Amino acid sequence: MSEPKTPTPTPAGDTYKGWVFKWTNYIKGYQRRWFVLSNGLLSYYRTQAEMGHTCRGTINLATATITVDDACNFVISNGGAQTYHLKASCEVERQRWITALELAKAKAARMQAESDDSGDDFSPSSAPAAPGQGGSSQNSEVQSALRTLGSKVEDLSTCNDLISKHGSALQRSLSELDNLRLTGEAGDKIRQVTERATLFRITSNAMINACRDFLALAQAHSKRWQKALQAEREQRMRLEETLEQLAKQHNHLERAFRGAAQANATADNKSAVGPRKGEASDEDDDNEFFDAMEEAPEFITVPADLQFHKRSSSNISGFNSEMCPDDQSLNDEPLAMNQESPSQEMVPLKKRRTRIPDKPNYSLNLWSIMKNCIGKELSKIPMPVNFNEPISMLQRLSEDLEYHELLDKAAKCHSSLEQMCYVAAFSVSSYSTTVYRTGKPFNPLLGETYELDRQRESGYRSLCEQVSHHPPAAAHHVISDRGWTLRQEITVASKFRGKYLSIMPLGTIHAEFEKGNHHYTWKKVTTTVHNIIVGKLWIDQSGEIDVVNHTTGDRCHLKFAPYSYFSRDVARKVTGVVMDKDGKAHYVLSGTWDEKMEFSRVMQSSRGGENGTEGKQKTVYQTLKAREVWRRNSLPESAETMYYFTALALTLNEPDESVAPTDSRRRPDQRLMEDGRWDEANTEKQRLEEKQRSVRREREREAASQRTSSQSEEAVDEDSFTDPSLKSAPHDNYQALWFERCEDQITGEQVHLYKGGYWETKDRGTWEGCPDIF
């Protein structure tokens, strides 16, 4: 073993390094590790090369105990959570480490105590009171401190008088002792001297203790008052700076107002039509925005993909004519509801339910079911309802509208780049409902539909239909009175890998806005369910999303970082950059898919060096202060007993007699599961699947007799390919009821588009054309 780099132990503020043997386990025994003692922390690494990136463990010596076993062994423990059994090469080296560790521990404990005292100094009771509040508490604290100091001063005065009195008596006794001849009275005098000396010693000790208390109290309050005074000074300086800025802005606004008034007067003299006040206020807003840019910018670094960052030189964005409107409309302004007739406004909104029956606690042998499913498509596995949640995949798709207000705000934007921020945030928000939702939605039956009519509350109407079963595909169409339309056709591909389940949504999501005719598209990322067999289930989202504006060429590249045990980043992190068609960055998006998203306006961007591990260039964005664009709604009370449903999800399966006969709300097995009758739900589920198989066979026989060559493949249900009678059956010619198959003009994909007629049929109340699937 080599000697430590420093010849003698050093205090904790310095660094002490060296090789020490550490106990690992009963198989490997003691293994040599590189230990570093620095700033009260003892860390160790496998090699010296790991110091730059991988620390194997750290103990804070401030709360640790150090014990010596024998000549070379010693133990460091922090109370049970961490214990290091160490062995030095010799007794001399062990003593060097023990000395260094004891010194580091003492200094760390002293620094921690000072830190605690400093934290107490900033307690609410000692912090400077804001104007108009907290003044009385601060005055009472000062008066209490003064009274305590006065009491200590009185104690000192009393002790001083006693010392003087007893000192004089002692002096007289000593003088008498000096004048005394050696007679029988010597013993009495000596006793008197001893008694008075004892009293003097007691009084002196009391004096010393009182002085010590006074000094400690004075020091403590001196630090507190110094910090309070410094805080008052800083607050006064901030107030003075604020007043100065307000005065400048006031003068600036006055000049702008006078200039606008003169311009209006001149225009009125020349023509009957002059500039409006709104234009003058826009000019003022421009000036205010440039004043706000004087704030210290933040530096945000995100990985740059050369496919999208086409410029290699520094560029500055934001200093253009659309800067002010972008930033203004990104404010969290309330959205006004669409104007309705007085008669409609008088009708009260429907009260939605806020609870469903609690989830029953049924035991199930998971491995007996899953061991035969490894490597198969999830849609082809027969699953009991124990793994489900009481909503269908169609209703789960409708949950994407949980944060529809983001699209409402996007529809009001004047700039496509600003609109892109809201659309990107909407694409992320759809995953926030999946954090705790480990249950599997019901696979919809072929022809099953689901409507979500929130026109009166939120201005939109949504319709989903299961248009195919092999592969399982659902078409979704949403129309809003607030200027946007959303449509998607999602096909779910899933694979069970033993330890985890991967769900890959296939298909493109389209968002169209009436204002500016902007058309956006994006896809979904991969969802992974971990710990399928052993452990607690948890869900992660990973992958990349490109939100593209096909009208302007704007693009937002979002990256969902997969969870990693060794990563130092925030879990569930999402980052993105909004760029125009030339690749120039305008906004940086950051946040997490389960909590919130923020945006920052890019002031300047520059290329950094290369990342040696990934081989990608990084771009440094200089931005304004980040602002929140989306935040997840809190879950309802007792959500853990209701499948962790959100407030919207609790209403999705609420009974409604006006919906179509094929609506998911009318599905009997799903309704039985919601009511907690799982055994009956499993029986009903098998009945529905057998019914769908019979309908499928009849449809295929008709297709074979007519000798059609339809190219569509539909599965009947989750168990369609487990039925041997279907493996060699010809394809049927099923056609969706409310959607028609055609080629998408944007992506070129074969998709199902809404052909109309559903809401008109609902208004008439005639559902004769709907199949009987339940």
Side-chain angles (χ1 to χ4, degrees):
M1 178 183 298
S2 61
E3 293 292 329
K5 288 193 172 183
T6 52
T8 58
T10 57
D14 300 329
T15 301
Y16 190 71
K17 307 176 182 178
W19 291 102
V20 180
F21 287 92
K22 178 182 178 296
W23 176 263
T24 57
N25 52 52
Y26 285 99
I27 297 177
K28 296 184 178 180
Y30 284 95
Q31 296 292 324
R32 196 173 74 154
R33 297 291 183 262
W34 180 256
F35 278 80
V36 177
L37 175 60
S38 177
N39 296 326
L41 300 176
L42 180 64
S43 305
Y44 76 93
Y45 311 84
R46 286 186 177 177
T47 62
Q48 299 183 42
E50 285 190 346
M51 291 180 60
H53 54 85
T54 304
C55 178
R56 300 295 175 175
T58 301
I59 280 187
N60 186 354
L61 295 179
T63 58
T65 58
I66 304 172
T67 56
V68 178
D69 283 353
D70 52 27
C72 298
N73 291 16
F74 56 102
V75 180
I76 305 173
S77 175
N78 62 356
Q82 288 178 300
T83 301
Y84 293 168
H85 295 268
L86 307 178
K87 181 171 69 174
S89 60
C90 61
E91 186 174 357
V92 175
E93 185 177 355
R94 187 214 66 184
Q95 189 58 41
R96 289 178 179 174
W97 275 103
I98 293 296
T99 304
L101 291 170
E102 292 291 353
L103 291 174
K105 178 182 177 181
K107 186 170 182 179
R110 186 166 60 253
M111 293 175 63
Q112 184 175 4
E114 293 176 356
S115 176
D116 294 341
D117 293 341
S118 175
D120 294 340
D121 293 340
F122 285 102
S123 61
S125 60
S126 62
Q133 53 179 310
S136 59
S137 62
Q138 186 177 10
N139 291 334
S140 62
E141 182 188 1
V142 172
Q143 294 297 330
S144 176
L146 290 176
R147 286 194 298 270
T148 305
L149 290 175
S151 175
K152 293 299 180 181
V153 170
E154 291 179 0
D155 293 343
L156 289 176
S157 178
T158 303
C159 291
N160 183 55
D161 294 340
L162 291 174
I163 287 175
S164 300
K165 177 180 177 181
H166 294 304
S168 300
L170 180 60
Q171 186 64 37
R172 288 194 301 270
S173 298
L174 291 175
S175 299
E176 292 175 359
L177 184 61
D178 290 339
N179 298 329
L180 183 65
R181 296 178 182 180
L182 296 177
T183 62
E185 298 179 354
D188 296 334
K189 293 297 182 180
I190 291 175
R191 283 193 297 271
Q192 290 181 5
V193 172
T194 303
E195 291 176 357
R196 295 185 184 278
T198 302
L199 291 175
F200 185 79
R201 184 175 65 254
I202 294 173
T203 308
S204 300
N205 289 337
M207 177 70 175
I208 292 172
N209 293 333
C211 291
R212 185 182 295 111
D213 294 340
F214 177 84
L215 179 61
L217 187 61
Q219 288 178 345
H221 283 282
S222 175
K223 291 181 180 179
R224 181 174 298 179
W225 288 337
Q226 286 178 2
K227 292 184 179 295
L229 180 61
Q230 182 65 24
E232 289 288 352
R233 289 175 179 173
E234 293 176 356
Q235 186 177 10
R236 185 188 65 183
M237 293 177 62
R238 288 194 297 268
L239 289 174
E240 289 176 354
E241 293 174 358
T242 303
L243 289 175
E244 184 178 359
Q245 293 179 1
L246 289 175
K248 290 181 179 179
Q249 293 180 4
H250 181 71
N251 294 333
H252 179 73
L253 290 175
E254 283 185 347
R255 289 195 301 269
F257 179 78
R258 293 194 191 100
Q262 292 176 0
N264 288 336
T266 304
D268 289 337
N269 293 333
K270 293 182 179 180
S271 131
V273 180
R276 297 171 296 176
K277 291 183 180 180
E279 296 174 355
S281 65
D282 289 340
E283 184 178 355
D284 295 341
D285 291 338
D286 288 336
N287 294 329
E288 289 182 15
F289 182 83
F290 281 101
D291 289 340
M293 286 167 51
E294 295 176 2
E295 298 178 1
E298 299 176 1
F299 290 85
I300 299 179
T301 303
V302 296
D305 192 334
L306 296 179
Q307 180 181 358
F308 302 108
H309 291 266
K310 300 178 181 179
R311 294 190 175 187
S312 59
S313 60
S314 300
N315 59 71
I316 300 177
S317 65
F319 298 93
N320 48 47
S321 59
E322 65 179 21
M323 185 180 202
C324 178
D326 289 358
D327 224 36
Q328 283 179 339
S329 51
L330 281 171
N331 291 329
D332 295 329
E333 58 183 4
L335 294 170
M337 298 291 291
N338 290 341
Q339 296 296 327
E340 299 180 352
S341 63
S343 60
Q344 290 177 329
E345 292 179 355
M346 294 300 293
V347 178
L349 296 177
K350 180 179 179 180
K351 186 177 180 180
R352 307 290 179 180
R353 67 178 183 180
T354 58
R355 286 198 60 85
I356 61 174
D358 291 346
K359 177 181 179 181
N361 187 15
Y362 289 137
S363 61
L364 184 68
N365 188 353
L366 178 63
W367 179 244
S368 64
I369 298 175
M370 303 302 291
K371 65 182 180 180
N372 297 322
C373 304
I374 298 177
K376 295 183 180 180
E377 283 278 355
L378 185 64
S379 60
K380 303 174 185 177
I381 299 174
M383 287 285 187
V385 299
N386 304 60
F387 295 102
N388 288 42
E389 57 183 10
I391 60 173
S392 70
M393 181 59 74
L394 303 181
Q395 292 166 312
R396 195 72 174 263
L397 277 180
S398 302
E399 276 194 82
D400 288 355
L401 301 172
E402 175 92 19
Y403 301 96
H404 63 89
E405 64 271 8
L406 291 171
L407 296 180
D408 295 341
K409 293 181 180 181
K412 299 176 61 179
C413 293
H414 301 286
S415 167
S416 61
L417 295 170
E418 167 197 342
Q419 192 176 68
M420 176 68 78
C421 292
Y422 281 108
V423 176
F426 176 78
S427 67
V428 175
S429 68
S430 61
Y431 299 100
S432 64
T433 61
T434 65
V435 184
Y436 308 107
R437 301 272 291 279
T438 56
K440 171 184 173 293
F442 278 80
N443 280 352
L445 302 174
L446 187 61
E448 186 174 336
T449 62
Y450 180 75
E451 69 163 72
L452 185 62
D453 190 353
R454 294 291 190 270
Q455 188 172 31
R456 297 188 58 246
E457 298 99 322
S458 305
Y460 68 84
R461 278 180 162 181
S462 167
L463 176 64
C464 294
E465 182 180 0
Q466 186 77 0
V467 295
S468 171
H469 248 307
H470 185 65
H476 185 201
H477 182 270
V478 189
I479 182 68
S480 174
D481 296 339
R482 299 176 184 174
W484 56 268
T485 302
L486 183 75
R487 62 179 174 89
Q488 58 181 324
E489 181 175 345
I490 299 298
T491 300
V492 178
S494 52
K495 286 292 184 180
F496 176 57
R497 302 298 186 183
K499 292 184 178 180
Y500 63 91
L501 175 69
S502 295
I503 303 172
M504 294 79 70
L506 308 176
T508 305
I509 306 172
H510 298 254
E512 304 176 47
F513 295 91
E514 296 177 2
K515 188 176 182 179
N517 294 322
H518 295 293
H519 191 140
Y520 296 85
T521 62
W522 68 92
K523 295 179 180 293
K524 289 182 174 289
V525 296
T526 299
T527 300
T528 305
V529 184
H530 295 269
N531 296 341
I532 293 294
I533 301 300
V534 179
K536 183 178 180 181
L537 294 176
W538 60 278
I539 292 178
D540 191 26
Q541 313 286 348
S542 60
E544 298 181 359
I545 293 179
D546 283 323
V547 185
V548 181
N549 186 339
H550 295 274
T551 304
T552 63
D554 300 337
R555 181 186 298 268
C556 178
H557 184 67
L558 294 171
K559 182 176 181 181
F560 289 66
Y563 174 80
S564 174
Y565 179 78
F566 301 100
S567 176
R568 297 182 180 180
D569 287 336
V570 179
R572 308 182 181 100
K573 184 178 180 181
V574 181
T575 56
V577 181
V578 176
M579 295 164 286
D580 58 21
K581 61 180 179 180
D582 298 322
K584 185 169 73 173
H586 290 261
Y587 290 98
V588 172
L589 294 172
S590 61
T592 57
W593 54 263
D594 68 321
E595 188 62 31
K596 66 177 181 178
M597 288 294 294
E598 295 178 339
F599 70 92
S600 307
R601 189 175 187 84
V602 176
M603 293 292 99
Q604 187 175 359
S605 63
S606 59
R607 284 300 173 91
E610 289 191 357
N611 189 331
T613 59
E614 298 181 0
K616 291 185 178 180
Q617 275 192 324
K618 284 193 175 183
T619 302
V620 179
Y621 295 105
Q622 185 178 5
T623 67
L624 292 179
K625 185 177 180 181
R627 297 169 59 188
E628 188 174 280
V629 66
W630 163 76
R631 177 176 288 274
R632 178 175 66 92
N633 297 330
S634 58
L635 290 174
E637 185 178 357
S638 302
E640 63 278 3
T641 64
M642 299 183 294
Y643 308 89
Y644 287 99
F645 279 1
T646 63
L648 175 63
L650 289 174
T651 67
L652 294 180
N653 205 41
E654 188 174 8
D656 188 348
E657 296 301 326
S658 65
V659 298
T662 56
D663 196 277
S664 299
R665 297 176 180 88
R666 300 182 181 274
R667 181 164 176 167
D669 54 348
Q670 184 173 303
R671 179 66 59 189
L672 288 170
M673 182 192 177
E674 181 182 284
D675 294 338
R677 299 153 64 183
W678 286 14
D679 292 338
E680 299 175 53
N682 279 318
T683 304
E684 190 65 22
K685 183 170 180 287
Q686 295 178 6
R687 183 190 68 82
L688 291 175
E689 292 168 357
E690 182 58 36
K691 180 177 181 179
Q692 288 292 293
R693 276 191 284 269
S694 300
V695 174
R696 170 72 179 270
R697 296 189 190 98
E698 181 64 27
R699 192 166 55 245
E700 288 174 347
R701 281 194 292 269
E702 293 178 358
S705 63
Q706 297 174 2
R707 299 189 180 186
T708 58
S709 58
S710 174
Q711 298 298 319
S712 60
E713 293 184 21
E714 293 99 7
V716 176
D717 49 32
E718 300 165 353
D719 306 331
S720 59
F721 272 65
T722 64
D723 189 347
S725 63
L726 300 179
K727 292 184 178 180
S728 60
H731 306 312
D732 60 52
N733 55 353
Y734 177 81
Q735 293 183 355
L737 184 59
W738 309 109
F739 291 80
E740 59 182 354
R741 187 177 179 86
C742 61
E743 180 179 341
D744 191 281
Q745 299 298 322
I746 299 294
T747 63
E749 302 171 347
Q750 289 294 322
V751 296
H752 285 81
L753 299 181
Y754 178 61
K755 61 183 179 182
Y758 179 87
W759 303 108
E760 293 78 6
T761 303
K762 181 182 178 181
D763 293 338
R764 293 193 301 268
T766 56
W767 301 104
E768 289 82 1
C770 294
D772 179 18
I773 61 175
F774 299 141

